[in-house]
Short mmCIF file of all heavy atoms in Angstrom, two decimals:
data_model
loop_
_atom_site.label_atom_id
_atom_site.label_comp_id
_atom_site.label_asym_id
_atom_site.label_seq_id
_atom_site.Cartn_x
_atom_site.Cartn_y
_atom_site.Cartn_z
N MET A 367 17.56 -5.52 34.45
CA MET A 367 17.29 -4.10 34.19
C MET A 367 16.51 -3.55 35.36
O MET A 367 15.66 -4.19 35.91
CB MET A 367 16.52 -3.97 32.89
CG MET A 367 16.24 -2.53 32.53
SD MET A 367 15.19 -2.26 31.11
CE MET A 367 16.32 -2.55 29.83
N THR A 368 16.80 -2.32 35.70
CA THR A 368 16.12 -1.64 36.83
C THR A 368 14.79 -1.10 36.30
O THR A 368 14.73 -0.47 35.29
CB THR A 368 16.97 -0.50 37.37
OG1 THR A 368 18.23 -1.04 37.75
CG2 THR A 368 16.28 0.15 38.53
N ALA A 369 13.72 -1.35 37.09
CA ALA A 369 12.43 -0.82 36.78
C ALA A 369 12.25 0.57 37.52
O ALA A 369 12.51 0.61 38.72
CB ALA A 369 11.33 -1.81 37.19
N PHE A 370 11.91 1.50 36.77
CA PHE A 370 11.70 2.85 37.35
C PHE A 370 10.24 3.09 37.54
O PHE A 370 9.38 2.73 36.72
CB PHE A 370 12.32 3.96 36.46
CG PHE A 370 13.80 3.89 36.43
CD1 PHE A 370 14.44 3.33 35.34
CD2 PHE A 370 14.56 4.42 37.43
CE1 PHE A 370 15.84 3.25 35.28
CE2 PHE A 370 15.96 4.32 37.38
CZ PHE A 370 16.54 3.79 36.27
N PRO A 371 9.84 3.80 38.65
CA PRO A 371 8.44 4.10 38.82
C PRO A 371 7.97 5.18 37.78
O PRO A 371 8.82 5.84 37.21
CB PRO A 371 8.38 4.70 40.22
CG PRO A 371 9.79 5.15 40.51
CD PRO A 371 10.64 4.30 39.72
N LYS A 372 6.70 5.18 37.59
CA LYS A 372 6.16 6.16 36.67
C LYS A 372 6.30 7.54 37.30
O LYS A 372 6.23 7.70 38.50
CB LYS A 372 4.65 5.85 36.34
CG LYS A 372 4.53 4.60 35.59
CD LYS A 372 3.04 4.30 35.34
CE LYS A 372 2.92 2.97 34.62
NZ LYS A 372 1.52 2.58 34.36
N LEU A 373 6.46 8.55 36.47
CA LEU A 373 6.65 9.87 36.98
C LEU A 373 5.50 10.37 37.91
O LEU A 373 5.69 11.03 38.91
CB LEU A 373 6.84 10.92 35.86
CG LEU A 373 8.17 10.91 35.21
CD1 LEU A 373 8.23 11.84 34.04
CD2 LEU A 373 9.32 11.19 36.17
N ASN A 374 4.30 9.97 37.54
CA ASN A 374 3.15 10.39 38.40
C ASN A 374 3.13 9.71 39.73
O ASN A 374 2.32 10.07 40.58
CB ASN A 374 1.79 10.28 37.65
CG ASN A 374 1.49 8.80 37.28
OD1 ASN A 374 2.28 7.93 37.44
ND2 ASN A 374 0.35 8.63 36.75
N GLU A 375 3.95 8.71 39.92
CA GLU A 375 4.03 7.96 41.20
C GLU A 375 5.08 8.57 42.14
O GLU A 375 5.18 8.21 43.25
CB GLU A 375 4.31 6.49 40.96
CG GLU A 375 3.22 5.77 40.22
CD GLU A 375 3.57 4.38 39.85
OE1 GLU A 375 4.70 3.94 40.00
OE2 GLU A 375 2.68 3.66 39.35
N LEU A 376 5.92 9.45 41.59
CA LEU A 376 6.99 10.09 42.39
C LEU A 376 6.56 11.35 43.07
O LEU A 376 5.73 12.07 42.56
CB LEU A 376 8.22 10.39 41.48
CG LEU A 376 8.89 9.27 40.74
CD1 LEU A 376 9.88 9.76 39.77
CD2 LEU A 376 9.47 8.30 41.72
N THR A 377 7.17 11.58 44.25
CA THR A 377 6.94 12.85 44.93
C THR A 377 7.74 13.89 44.22
O THR A 377 8.62 13.65 43.46
CB THR A 377 7.38 12.79 46.39
OG1 THR A 377 8.79 12.60 46.48
CG2 THR A 377 6.68 11.60 47.13
N VAL A 378 7.46 15.17 44.49
CA VAL A 378 8.22 16.29 43.91
C VAL A 378 9.65 16.15 44.31
O VAL A 378 10.60 16.35 43.48
CB VAL A 378 7.62 17.66 44.40
CG1 VAL A 378 8.55 18.77 43.97
CG2 VAL A 378 6.20 17.85 43.85
N GLY A 379 9.95 15.77 45.52
CA GLY A 379 11.35 15.68 45.97
C GLY A 379 12.04 14.59 45.26
O GLY A 379 13.22 14.72 44.89
N GLU A 380 11.42 13.46 45.01
CA GLU A 380 12.00 12.34 44.24
C GLU A 380 12.25 12.79 42.76
O GLU A 380 13.34 12.44 42.20
CB GLU A 380 11.12 11.12 44.29
CG GLU A 380 11.00 10.47 45.63
CD GLU A 380 9.94 9.40 45.75
OE1 GLU A 380 8.86 9.53 45.00
OE2 GLU A 380 10.12 8.46 46.48
N LYS A 381 11.35 13.58 42.24
CA LYS A 381 11.56 14.09 40.85
C LYS A 381 12.77 14.99 40.81
O LYS A 381 13.58 14.91 39.85
CB LYS A 381 10.30 14.76 40.36
CG LYS A 381 9.14 13.81 40.07
CD LYS A 381 7.91 14.66 39.67
CE LYS A 381 6.72 13.72 39.61
NZ LYS A 381 5.48 14.46 39.29
N LEU A 382 12.95 15.86 41.81
CA LEU A 382 14.03 16.76 41.82
C LEU A 382 15.34 16.00 42.00
O LEU A 382 16.34 16.35 41.36
CB LEU A 382 13.90 17.78 42.98
CG LEU A 382 12.84 18.82 42.75
CD1 LEU A 382 12.63 19.64 44.04
CD2 LEU A 382 13.17 19.71 41.57
N GLN A 383 15.35 14.97 42.80
CA GLN A 383 16.53 14.14 42.99
C GLN A 383 16.97 13.49 41.67
O GLN A 383 18.17 13.43 41.33
CB GLN A 383 16.32 13.03 44.00
CG GLN A 383 16.41 13.53 45.43
CD GLN A 383 16.33 12.36 46.39
OE1 GLN A 383 15.43 11.50 46.23
NE2 GLN A 383 17.17 12.29 47.38
N MET A 384 15.99 13.00 40.94
CA MET A 384 16.31 12.36 39.59
C MET A 384 16.89 13.44 38.68
O MET A 384 17.89 13.15 37.96
CB MET A 384 15.05 11.74 39.02
CG MET A 384 14.61 10.47 39.74
SD MET A 384 13.21 9.70 38.97
CE MET A 384 13.98 9.10 37.47
N MET A 385 16.30 14.58 38.66
CA MET A 385 16.81 15.65 37.76
C MET A 385 18.23 16.03 38.12
O MET A 385 19.09 16.24 37.28
CB MET A 385 15.89 16.84 37.78
CG MET A 385 14.57 16.60 37.12
SD MET A 385 13.28 17.84 37.26
CE MET A 385 14.15 19.35 37.40
N GLU A 386 18.56 16.16 39.39
CA GLU A 386 19.86 16.51 39.84
C GLU A 386 20.83 15.41 39.47
O GLU A 386 21.98 15.74 39.07
CB GLU A 386 19.95 16.65 41.37
CG GLU A 386 19.20 17.95 41.82
CD GLU A 386 19.09 18.03 43.33
OE1 GLU A 386 19.47 17.07 44.02
OE2 GLU A 386 18.53 19.05 43.82
N SER A 387 20.49 14.16 39.50
CA SER A 387 21.38 13.08 39.14
C SER A 387 21.70 13.13 37.63
O SER A 387 22.81 12.85 37.21
CB SER A 387 20.87 11.69 39.51
OG SER A 387 19.72 11.37 38.76
N PHE A 388 20.71 13.53 36.82
CA PHE A 388 20.96 13.69 35.41
C PHE A 388 21.94 14.83 35.12
O PHE A 388 22.81 14.78 34.26
CB PHE A 388 19.68 13.88 34.63
CG PHE A 388 18.85 12.63 34.53
CD1 PHE A 388 17.49 12.69 34.95
CD2 PHE A 388 19.37 11.45 34.12
CE1 PHE A 388 16.74 11.51 34.89
CE2 PHE A 388 18.58 10.29 34.03
CZ PHE A 388 17.26 10.31 34.46
N VAL A 389 21.79 15.94 35.88
CA VAL A 389 22.73 17.07 35.72
C VAL A 389 24.15 16.62 36.07
O VAL A 389 25.07 16.91 35.34
CB VAL A 389 22.23 18.29 36.55
CG1 VAL A 389 23.31 19.36 36.60
CG2 VAL A 389 20.92 18.84 36.06
N TRP A 390 24.24 15.97 37.14
CA TRP A 390 25.58 15.46 37.61
C TRP A 390 26.18 14.60 36.58
O TRP A 390 27.37 14.73 36.21
CB TRP A 390 25.41 14.70 38.93
CG TRP A 390 26.68 14.02 39.34
CD1 TRP A 390 27.67 14.51 40.05
CD2 TRP A 390 27.00 12.61 39.04
NE1 TRP A 390 28.67 13.56 40.24
CE2 TRP A 390 28.24 12.40 39.68
CE3 TRP A 390 26.36 11.62 38.37
CZ2 TRP A 390 28.87 11.17 39.60
CZ3 TRP A 390 27.00 10.44 38.30
CH2 TRP A 390 28.21 10.15 38.90
N HIS A 391 25.40 13.65 35.97
CA HIS A 391 25.93 12.73 34.96
C HIS A 391 26.36 13.52 33.76
O HIS A 391 27.38 13.23 33.14
CB HIS A 391 24.82 11.76 34.60
CG HIS A 391 25.31 10.66 33.74
ND1 HIS A 391 24.92 10.52 32.46
CD2 HIS A 391 26.18 9.67 33.96
CE1 HIS A 391 25.51 9.52 31.88
NE2 HIS A 391 26.25 8.95 32.75
N GLY A 392 25.62 14.52 33.38
CA GLY A 392 25.94 15.36 32.20
C GLY A 392 27.27 16.07 32.41
O GLY A 392 28.10 16.16 31.51
N GLU A 393 27.51 16.59 33.62
CA GLU A 393 28.74 17.24 33.93
C GLU A 393 29.95 16.30 33.82
O GLU A 393 30.99 16.64 33.30
CB GLU A 393 28.66 17.80 35.34
CG GLU A 393 27.74 19.04 35.41
CD GLU A 393 27.51 19.51 36.88
OE1 GLU A 393 27.98 18.85 37.80
OE2 GLU A 393 26.76 20.51 37.05
N ILE A 394 29.75 15.05 34.31
CA ILE A 394 30.79 14.09 34.29
C ILE A 394 31.15 13.71 32.80
O ILE A 394 32.27 13.55 32.41
CB ILE A 394 30.41 12.79 35.04
CG1 ILE A 394 30.29 13.12 36.55
CG2 ILE A 394 31.43 11.64 34.80
CD1 ILE A 394 31.54 13.61 37.20
N LEU A 395 30.07 13.57 31.97
CA LEU A 395 30.28 13.30 30.57
C LEU A 395 31.07 14.40 29.86
O LEU A 395 31.94 14.11 29.04
CB LEU A 395 28.93 13.05 29.91
CG LEU A 395 28.24 11.80 30.23
CD1 LEU A 395 26.86 11.71 29.56
CD2 LEU A 395 29.04 10.51 29.88
N VAL A 396 30.77 15.61 30.19
CA VAL A 396 31.52 16.77 29.57
C VAL A 396 32.99 16.71 30.01
O VAL A 396 33.89 16.88 29.19
CB VAL A 396 30.85 18.14 29.94
CG1 VAL A 396 31.74 19.27 29.57
CG2 VAL A 396 29.51 18.24 29.28
N GLN A 397 33.23 16.45 31.33
CA GLN A 397 34.60 16.37 31.75
C GLN A 397 35.35 15.23 31.09
O GLN A 397 36.51 15.38 30.69
CB GLN A 397 34.59 16.15 33.27
CG GLN A 397 34.15 17.33 34.09
CD GLN A 397 34.01 17.01 35.59
OE1 GLN A 397 34.34 15.93 36.01
NE2 GLN A 397 33.48 17.97 36.32
N ARG A 398 34.71 14.13 30.97
CA ARG A 398 35.31 12.94 30.27
C ARG A 398 35.57 13.29 28.81
O ARG A 398 36.66 12.91 28.28
CB ARG A 398 34.39 11.74 30.41
CG ARG A 398 34.97 10.47 29.87
CD ARG A 398 35.99 9.90 30.77
NE ARG A 398 36.73 8.82 30.14
CZ ARG A 398 36.40 7.55 30.15
NH1 ARG A 398 35.36 7.11 30.75
NH2 ARG A 398 37.20 6.64 29.58
N GLU A 399 34.70 13.89 28.13
CA GLU A 399 34.92 14.20 26.74
C GLU A 399 36.12 15.19 26.57
O GLU A 399 36.87 14.99 25.67
CB GLU A 399 33.63 14.85 26.13
CG GLU A 399 33.77 15.09 24.62
CD GLU A 399 32.47 15.62 24.04
OE1 GLU A 399 31.49 15.87 24.74
OE2 GLU A 399 32.44 15.82 22.80
N ASN A 400 36.16 16.16 27.47
CA ASN A 400 37.32 17.09 27.46
C ASN A 400 38.66 16.37 27.70
O ASN A 400 39.61 16.63 27.00
CB ASN A 400 37.12 18.25 28.46
CG ASN A 400 36.03 19.15 28.10
OD1 ASN A 400 35.69 19.33 26.93
ND2 ASN A 400 35.49 19.86 29.05
N ALA A 401 38.61 15.46 28.63
CA ALA A 401 39.83 14.66 28.90
C ALA A 401 40.22 13.86 27.70
O ALA A 401 41.42 13.66 27.43
CB ALA A 401 39.68 13.80 30.16
N LEU A 402 39.27 13.25 27.06
CA LEU A 402 39.57 12.45 25.85
C LEU A 402 40.15 13.34 24.74
O LEU A 402 41.15 12.93 24.09
CB LEU A 402 38.28 11.79 25.34
CG LEU A 402 37.77 10.67 26.14
CD1 LEU A 402 36.34 10.25 25.74
CD2 LEU A 402 38.71 9.43 26.12
N ARG A 403 39.60 14.49 24.52
CA ARG A 403 40.14 15.41 23.53
C ARG A 403 41.57 15.89 23.84
O ARG A 403 42.35 16.09 22.93
CB ARG A 403 39.24 16.60 23.36
CG ARG A 403 37.94 16.28 22.68
CD ARG A 403 37.08 17.49 22.46
NE ARG A 403 35.85 17.09 21.84
CZ ARG A 403 34.83 17.88 21.68
NH1 ARG A 403 34.79 19.13 22.19
NH2 ARG A 403 33.74 17.47 21.08
N GLN A 404 41.86 16.09 25.12
CA GLN A 404 43.18 16.54 25.55
C GLN A 404 44.20 15.38 25.61
O GLN A 404 45.35 15.61 25.83
CB GLN A 404 43.06 17.19 26.91
CG GLN A 404 42.25 18.49 26.89
CD GLN A 404 42.05 18.98 28.29
OE1 GLN A 404 42.43 18.42 29.29
NE2 GLN A 404 41.34 20.13 28.38
N GLY A 405 43.70 14.18 25.49
CA GLY A 405 44.60 13.01 25.52
C GLY A 405 44.98 12.57 26.94
O GLY A 405 45.86 11.75 27.07
N SER A 406 44.27 13.10 27.95
CA SER A 406 44.59 12.67 29.31
C SER A 406 43.75 11.53 29.77
O SER A 406 43.86 11.08 30.90
CB SER A 406 44.51 13.89 30.25
OG SER A 406 43.17 14.42 30.21
N ASP A 407 42.87 11.01 28.93
CA ASP A 407 42.01 9.85 29.25
C ASP A 407 41.84 9.02 28.01
O ASP A 407 42.11 9.50 26.87
CB ASP A 407 40.65 10.34 29.76
CG ASP A 407 39.96 9.29 30.59
OD1 ASP A 407 40.44 8.11 30.63
OD2 ASP A 407 38.97 9.63 31.29
N HIS A 408 41.42 7.84 28.11
CA HIS A 408 41.23 6.98 26.94
C HIS A 408 40.15 5.92 27.30
O HIS A 408 39.77 5.72 28.41
CB HIS A 408 42.53 6.30 26.63
CG HIS A 408 42.97 5.26 27.59
ND1 HIS A 408 43.58 5.66 28.77
CD2 HIS A 408 42.85 3.95 27.71
CE1 HIS A 408 43.86 4.59 29.56
NE2 HIS A 408 43.42 3.52 28.89
N PHE A 409 39.66 5.31 26.20
CA PHE A 409 38.74 4.17 26.36
C PHE A 409 39.55 2.89 26.31
O PHE A 409 40.56 2.80 25.70
CB PHE A 409 37.72 4.16 25.23
CG PHE A 409 36.63 5.25 25.33
CD1 PHE A 409 36.70 6.33 24.50
CD2 PHE A 409 35.64 5.11 26.24
CE1 PHE A 409 35.76 7.34 24.60
CE2 PHE A 409 34.66 6.05 26.32
CZ PHE A 409 34.71 7.19 25.47
N SER A 410 38.98 1.87 26.97
CA SER A 410 39.52 0.53 26.94
C SER A 410 38.45 -0.40 26.29
O SER A 410 37.29 -0.12 26.46
CB SER A 410 39.82 -0.03 28.30
OG SER A 410 40.84 0.77 28.92
N ALA A 411 38.96 -1.41 25.59
CA ALA A 411 38.09 -2.42 25.09
C ALA A 411 37.35 -3.10 26.29
O ALA A 411 37.96 -3.15 27.36
CB ALA A 411 38.82 -3.44 24.25
N TRP A 412 36.11 -3.49 26.16
CA TRP A 412 35.36 -4.03 27.19
C TRP A 412 36.09 -5.27 27.84
O TRP A 412 36.17 -5.42 29.04
CB TRP A 412 33.95 -4.43 26.76
CG TRP A 412 33.16 -5.06 27.83
CD1 TRP A 412 32.54 -6.20 27.78
CD2 TRP A 412 32.87 -4.54 29.17
NE1 TRP A 412 31.84 -6.52 28.96
CE2 TRP A 412 32.04 -5.43 29.82
CE3 TRP A 412 33.21 -3.35 29.87
CZ2 TRP A 412 31.61 -5.31 31.12
CZ3 TRP A 412 32.78 -3.17 31.16
CH2 TRP A 412 31.96 -4.10 31.77
N ASP A 413 36.62 -6.11 27.01
CA ASP A 413 37.33 -7.34 27.49
C ASP A 413 38.58 -6.92 28.36
O ASP A 413 38.82 -7.53 29.44
CB ASP A 413 37.76 -8.26 26.39
CG ASP A 413 36.61 -8.99 25.76
OD1 ASP A 413 35.58 -9.13 26.43
OD2 ASP A 413 36.68 -9.40 24.58
N THR A 414 39.27 -5.87 27.90
CA THR A 414 40.45 -5.40 28.65
C THR A 414 39.97 -4.78 29.98
O THR A 414 40.61 -5.02 31.02
CB THR A 414 41.17 -4.32 27.83
OG1 THR A 414 41.56 -4.89 26.59
CG2 THR A 414 42.38 -3.82 28.54
N ALA A 415 38.91 -4.03 29.94
CA ALA A 415 38.44 -3.43 31.18
C ALA A 415 37.99 -4.46 32.18
O ALA A 415 38.31 -4.35 33.37
CB ALA A 415 37.26 -2.50 30.85
N LYS A 416 37.25 -5.50 31.71
CA LYS A 416 36.88 -6.58 32.66
C LYS A 416 38.12 -7.27 33.22
O LYS A 416 38.08 -7.55 34.45
CB LYS A 416 36.05 -7.59 31.91
CG LYS A 416 34.62 -7.17 31.58
CD LYS A 416 33.73 -8.29 31.07
CE LYS A 416 34.28 -8.84 29.78
NZ LYS A 416 33.31 -9.89 29.22
N THR A 417 39.11 -7.56 32.43
CA THR A 417 40.28 -8.20 32.95
C THR A 417 40.97 -7.28 34.00
O THR A 417 41.35 -7.79 35.09
CB THR A 417 41.26 -8.48 31.78
OG1 THR A 417 40.63 -9.36 30.88
CG2 THR A 417 42.54 -9.11 32.27
N ASN A 418 41.13 -6.05 33.69
CA ASN A 418 41.69 -5.10 34.65
C ASN A 418 40.93 -5.02 35.94
O ASN A 418 41.50 -4.95 37.05
CB ASN A 418 41.89 -3.72 34.02
CG ASN A 418 42.92 -3.72 32.95
OD1 ASN A 418 43.76 -4.60 32.85
ND2 ASN A 418 42.82 -2.76 32.09
N LEU A 419 39.59 -4.96 35.87
CA LEU A 419 38.76 -4.94 37.09
C LEU A 419 38.94 -6.19 37.87
O LEU A 419 39.04 -6.13 39.13
CB LEU A 419 37.30 -4.72 36.73
CG LEU A 419 36.94 -3.31 36.24
CD1 LEU A 419 35.58 -3.33 35.62
CD2 LEU A 419 37.04 -2.38 37.40
N ARG A 420 38.97 -7.35 37.28
CA ARG A 420 39.13 -8.58 37.97
C ARG A 420 40.45 -8.63 38.66
O ARG A 420 40.55 -9.01 39.83
CB ARG A 420 38.98 -9.74 37.02
CG ARG A 420 37.55 -10.00 36.59
CD ARG A 420 37.41 -11.30 35.82
NE ARG A 420 36.00 -11.51 35.38
CZ ARG A 420 35.58 -11.52 34.15
NH1 ARG A 420 36.44 -11.42 33.13
NH2 ARG A 420 34.27 -11.65 33.88
N LYS A 421 41.51 -8.17 37.95
CA LYS A 421 42.83 -8.20 38.60
C LYS A 421 42.90 -7.28 39.79
O LYS A 421 43.43 -7.60 40.81
CB LYS A 421 43.89 -7.75 37.55
CG LYS A 421 44.22 -8.82 36.54
CD LYS A 421 45.27 -8.27 35.56
CE LYS A 421 45.56 -9.30 34.49
NZ LYS A 421 46.54 -8.75 33.47
N SER A 422 42.37 -6.08 39.64
CA SER A 422 42.42 -5.15 40.76
C SER A 422 41.52 -5.63 41.92
O SER A 422 41.94 -5.44 43.09
CB SER A 422 41.98 -3.74 40.32
OG SER A 422 40.63 -3.68 40.00
N THR A 423 40.41 -6.24 41.65
CA THR A 423 39.53 -6.73 42.70
C THR A 423 40.21 -7.89 43.41
O THR A 423 40.20 -7.96 44.64
CB THR A 423 38.19 -7.19 42.13
OG1 THR A 423 37.58 -6.07 41.43
CG2 THR A 423 37.27 -7.69 43.21
N LEU A 424 40.78 -8.80 42.66
CA LEU A 424 41.46 -9.97 43.26
C LEU A 424 42.65 -9.54 44.09
O LEU A 424 42.85 -9.97 45.20
CB LEU A 424 41.90 -10.99 42.22
CG LEU A 424 40.80 -11.74 41.54
CD1 LEU A 424 41.35 -12.55 40.38
CD2 LEU A 424 40.07 -12.61 42.52
N SER A 425 43.46 -8.65 43.61
CA SER A 425 44.66 -8.18 44.37
C SER A 425 44.20 -7.43 45.63
O SER A 425 44.81 -7.56 46.67
CB SER A 425 45.58 -7.32 43.53
OG SER A 425 44.95 -6.12 43.20
N HIS A 426 43.10 -6.73 45.52
CA HIS A 426 42.59 -5.97 46.73
C HIS A 426 42.11 -6.99 47.76
O HIS A 426 42.34 -6.84 48.95
CB HIS A 426 41.48 -5.07 46.35
CG HIS A 426 40.86 -4.35 47.49
ND1 HIS A 426 41.51 -3.37 48.23
CD2 HIS A 426 39.66 -4.51 48.09
CE1 HIS A 426 40.72 -3.00 49.21
NE2 HIS A 426 39.60 -3.66 49.15
N ASP A 427 41.35 -8.05 47.32
CA ASP A 427 40.85 -9.04 48.26
C ASP A 427 41.98 -9.74 48.95
O ASP A 427 41.90 -10.03 50.12
CB ASP A 427 39.91 -10.03 47.53
CG ASP A 427 38.62 -9.46 47.10
OD1 ASP A 427 38.23 -8.36 47.64
OD2 ASP A 427 37.96 -10.04 46.29
N VAL A 428 43.05 -10.12 48.19
CA VAL A 428 44.12 -10.81 48.79
C VAL A 428 44.81 -9.91 49.86
O VAL A 428 45.18 -10.42 50.93
CB VAL A 428 45.14 -11.23 47.68
CG1 VAL A 428 46.45 -11.74 48.28
CG2 VAL A 428 44.48 -12.29 46.80
N LEU A 429 45.04 -8.69 49.51
CA LEU A 429 45.67 -7.79 50.48
C LEU A 429 44.81 -7.57 51.70
O LEU A 429 45.25 -7.42 52.84
CB LEU A 429 46.01 -6.43 49.83
CG LEU A 429 47.03 -6.48 48.71
CD1 LEU A 429 47.21 -5.12 48.06
CD2 LEU A 429 48.40 -6.93 49.32
N SER A 430 43.45 -7.46 51.47
CA SER A 430 42.53 -7.19 52.58
C SER A 430 42.55 -8.34 53.58
O SER A 430 42.37 -8.04 54.79
CB SER A 430 41.11 -6.96 52.03
OG SER A 430 41.08 -5.81 51.23
N PHE A 431 42.62 -9.51 53.12
CA PHE A 431 42.54 -10.67 53.99
C PHE A 431 43.85 -11.20 54.42
O PHE A 431 43.97 -12.19 55.16
CB PHE A 431 41.62 -11.75 53.39
CG PHE A 431 40.25 -11.34 53.20
CD1 PHE A 431 39.77 -11.05 51.92
CD2 PHE A 431 39.34 -11.22 54.30
CE1 PHE A 431 38.44 -10.63 51.75
CE2 PHE A 431 38.07 -10.82 54.11
CZ PHE A 431 37.63 -10.49 52.88
N GLY A 432 44.97 -10.65 53.94
CA GLY A 432 46.28 -11.09 54.33
C GLY A 432 46.62 -12.44 53.79
O GLY A 432 47.45 -13.18 54.30
N VAL A 433 45.97 -12.89 52.67
CA VAL A 433 46.25 -14.15 52.08
C VAL A 433 47.29 -14.03 51.01
O VAL A 433 47.31 -13.01 50.33
CB VAL A 433 44.90 -14.75 51.45
CG1 VAL A 433 45.25 -16.05 50.77
CG2 VAL A 433 43.85 -14.89 52.53
N GLY A 434 48.11 -14.96 50.85
CA GLY A 434 49.01 -14.87 49.72
C GLY A 434 50.33 -15.31 50.11
O GLY A 434 51.30 -15.48 49.60
#
């Protein structure tokens, strides 16, 4: 788990950066929710997602190094 500094230890600029990242994340969540409602996106089971990520990573590595 990532340890975050206490708010009183952050500069004003760092606090603003954190707030902006939360706004960005909120916007992405709204877009994703809209896509789910419209049927243009879906969730995958965690085991399926892990398998797909492994397959895509392995195929990318093989292509990158010319092995195969």
